[in-house]
Amino acid sequence: MTLLNEPRRRRRSTGVAAAAAGLLAALLTAGPAAATPDPGDGAVTQKEVSRSAQAQVRAAMSDGEIPGQDEVVHSDNIEHVANIPKEAFTGFNSDLAFQGKYAFAGNYDGFRIFDISNPRAPRTVAQVLCPGSQNDISVSGDLLFLSTDSSRSDSSCNSTTQPATEKSSWEGMKVFDISDKANPKYVAAVETACGSHTHALVPERRNVYVYVSSYSPNAAFPDCQPPHDGISVIKVPRKAPEKAAVVSFPVLFPGEGQDGGGNPGSPTNPGVAKTTGCHDITVLPSKDLAAGACMGDGILFSIKDPEHPKVLDQVEDNVNFAFWHSATFNQKANKVVFTDELGGGGAATCNATVGPNRGADGIYDIVGKGEKRKLVFKSYYKIPRHQADTENCVAHNGSLIPVKGKDLMVQAWYQGGVSVWDFTDSAHPEEIAYFERGPLSTGTLSVGGSWSAYYYNGYIYSNDIAKGFDVLKITDRRTDPAKRVRLRELNVQTQPDYFD
């Protein structure tokens, strides 16, 4: 664990406007630039920005308008209590899950298990190497679930990359036994159409249902054929996980022909991703509800019958949303926060050129009852600090901070850092705390920053793509009541009823 120096507590000026570099102009005019979102999906690249943009970054640092390179800054109510650096031999860090005194952190080469019984001194319990793009991660009881969204030579953890055009290629869900946290055992693999970019668990007493989100089919891919307008549902018996299998493929966007019934994207809706599946789904089992962020669409659906979910409402935002990325319910299940991953997580979109409504959160109220419930747009939320053109920044993964009567959320923004914000008033959200580092680079757009930032049993945990596993503590009268809420397990895409 690294020793933490006391950072300067200062707020970035919201008046710092990054230059409209050629890279950004290309991003905003190239149609659905986020067709394959999340920066690790492609080869790791660094994109040089213009000389004028580089000069502006250096000037902003010199003037104190943005932090220095790699400098840690935060609001007065946030404390940075620990960091475990990323292992040099692993790929990008990705999502997080929690169980008891353990945190499970995915990365593009497998996953790590941390003992967080002392959040100020977390320690590594296990490092599992099992390459596969994303490695989105969840846990339930003695089982751990891992998404593979890159075409592999086989389902083993020793596989190599192989073209999706080959029928023998594999991608999908992997299942591990984690009854011994120090020695996880790989016990099952289930191939799914177009792989598994992310997944959400619908746990039951005897079985765990896994909703698998994947997208971008191609007629040349034998196992990923268009229109691919639904999700794969896997049933995993808890006592016999080796029998896990796909039990249904519910179509969420029915329509004629190869395009299905989702958003047609460009050129009909310029700059908007065509819907060919879902990026992420969040379920709220206590209310039999789920919300899907599905490329060009946001949906609300019933999961009363987990094998056959039913869409209740479908919404689009063809003005400001390029790629519907993820969803979060509030505790009362009368609101959903959707995120727009403009630029796929690899672009600099937190600046004056892009503005406050793109690459942001969209807050929707849920109105009506039963099968007549509808999503009604209320407002956008975006971090109020402009970032440099060398920093990838956009709305990404977050979770509720459980305070009764309030709608509070912590959220990752890649190199925009971690933001804590209040959306109790759907029309007027506001930030109440933040943590971030200065740019990784002053000359190139280098991918890094917080992939996921979640609140769990009194602390905020962030998985930084480049810098590793961070632990933060927020002390604020608005969030302090959450410290009394304790969970045995947390998969953010399977939202708990915090006050049940």
Side-chain angles (χ1 to χ4, degrees):
M1 185 177 68
T2 56
L3 296 176
L4 303 173
N5 296 320
E6 183 67 13
R8 283 181 286 169
R9 294 185 176 94
R10 64 184 180 190
R11 177 175 290 274
R12 290 187 173 194
S13 168
T14 57
V16 178
L23 170 67
L24 181 59
L27 162 71
L28 299 180
T29 59
T36 53
D38 297 330
D41 287 354
V44 178
T45 60
Q46 293 185 337
K47 303 172 184 177
E48 187 172 358
V49 299
S50 68
R51 290 185 179 181
S52 62
Q54 293 179 37
Q56 285 201 1
V57 172
R58 290 191 292 269
M61 286 180 176
S62 177
D63 293 342
E65 294 177 329
I66 67 173
Q69 190 169 348
D70 281 341
E71 180 187 6
V72 170
V73 297
H74 55 72
S75 54
D76 289 339
N77 52 359
I78 287 276
E79 179 187 1
H80 187 201
V81 301
N83 170 265
I84 297 181
K86 177 178 137 353
E87 293 283 4
F89 58 86
T90 60
F92 288 166
N93 285 332
S94 57
D95 212 2
L96 295 167
F98 305 89
Q99 186 181 83
K101 65 177 185 178
Y102 298 101
F104 304 82
N107 63 70
Y108 274 61
D109 283 309
F111 62 93
R112 295 173 81 177
I113 301 177
F114 298 110
D115 183 333
I116 55 171
S117 52
N118 178 2
R120 293 180 177 271
R123 62 183 183 86
T124 301
V125 174
Q127 168 74 67
V128 176
L129 293 177
C130 196
S133 175
Q134 288 279 118
N135 278 336
D136 191 50
I137 194 167
S138 296
V139 294
S140 183
D142 288 337
L143 300 178
L144 179 148
F145 302 85
L146 206 63
S147 287
T148 298
D149 193 32
S150 63
S151 186
R152 314 295 299 181
S153 56
D154 55 56
S155 63
S156 76
C157 287
N158 297 315
S159 67
T160 58
T161 58
Q162 182 169 290
T165 52
E166 295 188 23
K167 177 62 179 173
S168 63
S169 296
W170 184 93
E171 50 187 320
M173 289 299 307
K174 295 170 181 170
V175 185
F176 291 78
D177 182 324
I178 53 169
S179 52
D180 179 356
K181 301 296 187 293
N183 296 287
K185 296 179 180 178
Y186 186 12
V187 295
V190 181
E191 186 172 15
T192 54
C194 301
S196 175
H197 196 73
T198 65
H199 67 270
L201 305 184
V202 184
E204 296 184 334
R205 183 178 176 183
R206 295 182 179 179
N207 305 295
V208 180
Y209 285 98
V210 186
Y211 285 1
V212 176
S213 295
S214 55
Y215 52 88
S216 293
N218 190 302
F221 300 162
D223 299 316
C224 184
Q225 292 286 298
H228 191 71
D229 47 12
I231 58 173
S232 297
V233 179
I234 299 173
K235 184 177 181 179
V236 185
R238 290 188 183 276
K239 294 188 179 299
E242 69 279 3
K243 295 182 180 179
V246 174
V247 293
S248 67
F249 186 86
V251 174
L252 303 177
F253 303 98
E256 298 296 329
Q258 293 293 295
D259 294 329
N263 196 317
S266 295
T268 303
N269 297 314
V272 177
K274 176 182 176 181
T275 298
T276 58
C278 290
H279 180 279
D280 213 333
I281 289 170
T282 294
V283 301
L284 190 58
S286 64
K287 301 292 193 298
D288 288 332
L289 279 178
C294 303
M295 304 182 73
D297 295 87
I299 59 173
L300 180 72
F301 55 103
S302 167
I303 58 169
K304 192 170 184 180
D305 179 351
E307 292 188 22
H308 303 95
K310 180 180 180 181
V311 174
L312 303 176
D313 196 23
Q314 174 182 349
V315 292
E316 297 176 353
D317 179 348
N318 294 318
V319 175
N320 289 313
F321 261 46
F323 194 99
W324 296 67
H325 176 276
S326 52
T328 303
F329 288 99
N330 70 335
Q331 180 58 35
K332 291 183 178 179
N334 60 8
K335 298 175 188 175
V336 181
V337 175
F338 289 102
T339 66
D340 171 27
E341 196 185 41
L342 172 68
T349 72
C350 296
N351 53 39
T353 305
V354 176
N357 297 336
R358 303 191 69 193
D361 296 318
I363 303 166
Y364 286 74
D365 282 354
I366 301 174
V367 300
K369 295 182 179 180
E371 294 190 359
K372 294 184 178 181
R373 283 172 284 192
K374 299 291 184 183
L375 294 164
V376 177
F377 173 77
K378 299 301 290 186
S379 67
Y380 298 106
Y381 170 76
K382 194 170 184 180
I383 57 173
R385 294 167 307 287
H386 288 150
Q387 309 293 306
D389 266 3
T390 59
E391 295 180 279
N392 62 308
C393 176
V394 76
H396 214 236
N397 294 348
S399 77
L400 292 185
I401 298 179
V403 175
K404 216 172 231 186
K406 295 287 185 181
D407 295 326
L408 306 177
M409 186 171 175
V410 58
Q411 186 176 1
W413 289 79
Y414 290 115
Q415 285 193 71
V418 175
S419 177
V420 179
W421 57 290
D422 185 336
F423 63 104
T424 307
D425 181 346
S426 303
H428 300 95
E430 61 176 351
E431 184 175 77
I432 61 176
Y434 74 94
F435 165 89
E436 65 170 301
R437 293 179 169 91
L440 287 171
S441 170
T442 60
T444 61
L445 175 56
S446 303
V447 172
S450 180
W451 179 290
S452 298
Y454 299 146
Y455 185 92
Y456 177 69
N457 291 353
Y459 288 83
I460 293 169
Y461 297 89
S462 168
N463 212 18
D464 188 291
I465 290 172
K467 296 298 182 180
F469 183 71
D470 288 311
V471 185
L472 311 174
K473 186 174 179 63
I474 182 168
T475 302
D476 188 288
R477 60 179 177 76
R478 293 163 289 190
T479 61
D480 285 348
K483 297 175 183 177
R484 297 191 290 268
V485 178
R486 313 299 288 185
L487 298 177
R488 292 191 298 270
E489 193 170 271
L490 176 64
N491 300 297
V492 169
Q493 287 73 35
T494 304
Q495 280 191 222
D497 187 337
Y498 289 97
F499 305 109
D500 186 14

